[in-house]
Amino acid sequence: MTDTALIEAARSSKAWPFQEAQRLEKRVKAKRLKTGATADEPVLFETGYGPSGLPHIGTFQEVLRTTFVRRAYEALTGEPTRLVAFSDDMDGLRKVPDNVPNQEMLAEHLGKPLSRIPDPFEKYESFAHHNNAMLREFLDRFGFEYEFIASSSRYNTGAFDDALKNVLRNNQAILDIMLPTLRAERAATYSPIMPISPKTGVVLQVPVEVVDAEAGMIRFTDEDGEVIEQSALGGQSKLQWKVDFAMRWVALGVDYEMYGKDLTDTGVQSGKIARVLGGNKPEGLIYELFLDEKGEKISKSKGNGLTIEQWLEYGTEESLGFYIFPNPKSAKQLHTGVIPRAVDDYWQFRERLADQPLDKQLGNPVWHLLRANHSLATPEAPGAGDTVPVSFGLLLNLASVLGSEATTENLAGYVQSYLGETEKNADLDRMIEAAVAYTRDFIVPTLNKRAPVGGEVEALRELDAKLADADADASAEDLQTMVYEIGKNEAHGFENLRDWFRALYETLLGSEQGPRMGSFIALYGVEPTRKLIAEALARA
């Protein structure tokens, strides 16, 4: 495949990352005409992170989705790009998160910048450093290519000093934008720039007088009533959130940033402030938020919803990315129940990839996932059509039957016996580990094998008799045909095959849904399956 073919397909692709890339290309061309910048200068993508609580999947998805657009833009234009992951760790701690230790200690530091508060986990130099490290660890594990920037570093080293002076010069114009949007009580204390108290270290929400914008000098009343005159530069102040957002866009030259629906108003006001500061709001997507199982917004401080670590215990990295990919403008519930299908759907789409025409590949979520970390330089790259020989759903059913005996070693033994001699498959090994954990925590506690009734009893006896005559190494297809034929036997009284399969799942596996029975019997074994049938018949 030539780059020309890829570019042509990218220009007509309806996949949402390419739609975003097409809009971004128009913006970048207009910017270059205005500024004289060349195509050699990387297009800058940014993602923001507020490290007030532990990173969650909502944080990760923003980096992933932005990377989807970044890679789509590269495919569309062939131009260089950069991705900055920005942590707003100069923000003051507003409340103590529910899901961290040493809460009394944190309460003593309320209002101080997150980067100047001790780490409650006692591992890093500050609370922000701990949470930043957790975010970077996962981004690194997934293989993202990014540059991490901590707000504290830019403020403290003076890298933002010129941008802060620009804010001070435009202090009144920014107030004119913000004050009409605020309640009277909030407007009375609002200032675009928040000084940090030289006495308590708290980020102050107080009116500020600009004494000398060029020198960065400001005047304010400290918490104890004393009037203080000090520099706003070198880490001695912090901008209000919406002002900070705009300042970063202008100071860093951000071309693309997406954010959640809850920040829609922030985007509007920050865009106006960016224009006052001499720049423009970047191109971007407003995405819907993730919800927990109850339909409530996921919150870092509440710790509801799934953590990154939980998804990786019960699923795979690829399945997480696959679940995140579709329809960013639609809300998604995020709980353990969505993991099994996400794992299997990922592999189904991956298996199709190599055989798809190019335009279909660009609409395949796996193309974007592999491209995200350069795993797929071209669709013909090794691994583009990889698959796993056993589905995650089948592994879950096998593990549920094994119950307390389900271990990674035990499950792997059944799979190895079923597959015969095969090369080691790291993806399958990871799925086996996840299947054991998922079954242990979410399936086994809910299993309820009911007794067979009516025609189900004779149908199970017929299945047992046929299995007794079957070869031990009968193929999954042959076994599936056997099961089908029994279900179609009108003497057993099933209205349709669905009723027969539901009876098998409920009496043998203890669940309402299950796998292709032929594949299950081949994997679990003919004789062990006959034992399941005997146990079910004993309950009749």
Side-chain angles (χ1 to χ4, degrees), residues 25 32 66 116 124 135 153 207 228 303 316 357 378 387 397 424 536:
E25 183 186 28
R32 288 171 181 163
T66 302
R116 301 178 187 179
Y124 294 87
L135 174 70
S153 174
I228 302 290
T316 61
T378 68
T387 187
N397 286 119
K424 187 172 181 60

Side-chain angles (χ1 to χ4, degrees), residues 310-380:
Q310 285 172 323
W311 186 292
L312 294 182
E313 180 179 4
Y314 303 122
T316 61
E317 295 172 10
E318 298 87 356
S319 64
L320 172 56
F322 184 91
Y323 186 74
I324 286 171
F325 180 85
N327 305 320
K329 294 184 178 182
S330 297
K332 292 184 177 68
Q333 286 192 314
L334 199 61
H335 52 84
T336 54
V338 306
I339 293 177
R341 180 172 178 178
V343 175
D344 280 337
D345 282 354
Y346 168 80
W347 283 107
Q348 290 175 14
F349 275 79
R350 181 161 177 169
E351 186 176 5
R352 299 172 193 164
L353 184 64
D355 296 327
Q356 289 179 316
L358 182 56
D359 62 329
K360 298 297 184 184
Q361 288 179 354
L362 300 192
N364 186 326
V366 176
W367 187 94
H368 296 270
L369 285 163
L370 295 178
R371 193 87 175 193
N373 60 4
H374 294 299
S375 297
L376 183 67
T378 68
E380 292 82 5

